[in-house]
Amino acid sequence: NPYKQVPPLIRLVYVLGITKPNTIDNGIAIGSIEDGFKLLQWLLDRGEDPAALVPRSCTFEKTCFFDPDKDENSLTFRAKNHSAVSFALMMKRLMKENIKKVGVEKAPWAGCIAQIDKMLPLLYAACGRGRPAARPRARPSSSSRACSTNSY
C-alpha cells in the first residue's frame, strides 16, 4: 500500500497471525490458513525480504480484540520501524503479555501464537536471501539484527 507504506509481507504476517480462516481483512482474502501460508512462501520465493525494515513514515496500525472482553484483551500492532520478523515477534510478545495479564479465558490468543510460531521458521529461512529491497531502510545495518531470534 503506497499510502501507508506497508509492504505486502507485513500485511500478510498480520493477517496470518490474527485472522481466522475464511475471513477477509482490508482487501486480503484468504480462503484458508494453508492458502495464506502458500502466499507467504510465494512472496519469500520471489525475493520479499523479511529483514527489510518498514519506513518510519509507515502508518499501518491495527487493533484487535475478542468480544465480549474487548477492554481487557485489546492489542494494537504498529508496523513502523519493524521488519516482518520483528513484527511477528512483537505480535507474539504482546499476545503472551496479554494472556499473562488477564488470563487465557479473556485473551484467547493461543491459536494466533501457534500461527506465528508456524510462520517464523519460514521468515528466518528467507532472511538475507532476498534481493535488495526497493523500500528505504530505517538503519543501513539493520538486516542482520532484524532476523535475530532475540529481538523480543
Side-chain angles (χ1 to χ4, degrees), residues 85-115:
V85 172
S86 67
F87 187 74
L89 290 169
M90 177 264 305
M91 288 177 68
K92 180 179 174 179
R93 178 183 52 83
L94 291 176
M95 290 173 185
K96 285 180 142 186
E97 288 173 357
N98 190 240
I99 289 171
K100 188 175 180 179
K101 180 180 174 186
V102 301
V104 72
E105 298 80 27
K106 292 187 177 187
W109 298 109
C112 297
I113 291 169
Q115 293 276 108

Side-chain angles (χ1 to χ4, degrees), residues 9-115:
L9 197 54
I10 292 280
R11 171 80 70 174
L12 188 58
V13 165
Y14 168 76
V15 170
L16 286 175
I18 205 72
T19 306
K20 295 178 183 176
N22 302 313
T23 61
I24 298 175
D25 177 75
N26 289 336
I28 295 181
I30 54 176
S32 69
I33 294 300
E34 292 77 26
D35 290 343
F37 275 94
K38 287 178 188 174
L39 180 56
L40 175 66
Q41 191 61 59
W42 182 83
L43 285 170
L44 295 172
D45 289 345
R46 274 144 191 82
E48 235 354 88
D49 185 1
L53 293 177
V54 175
R56 292 175 192 205
S57 57
C58 177
T59 60
F60 181 76
E61 179 179 298
K62 291 288 185 180
T63 299
C64 304
F65 55 86
F66 290 96
D67 285 327
D69 299 305
K70 176 181 177 179
D71 294 336
E72 294 179 337
N73 65 33
S74 180
L75 298 178
T76 300
F77 307 112
R78 292 175 182 88
K80 182 184 350 186
N81 290 332
H82 278 286
S83 68
V85 172
S86 67
F87 187 74
L89 290 169
M90 177 264 305
M91 288 177 68
K92 180 179 174 179
R93 178 183 52 83
L94 291 176
M95 290 173 185
K96 285 180 142 186
E97 288 173 357
N98 190 240
I99 289 171
K100 188 175 180 179
K101 180 180 174 186
V102 301
V104 72
E105 298 80 27
K106 292 187 177 187
W109 298 109
C112 297
I113 291 169
Q115 293 276 108

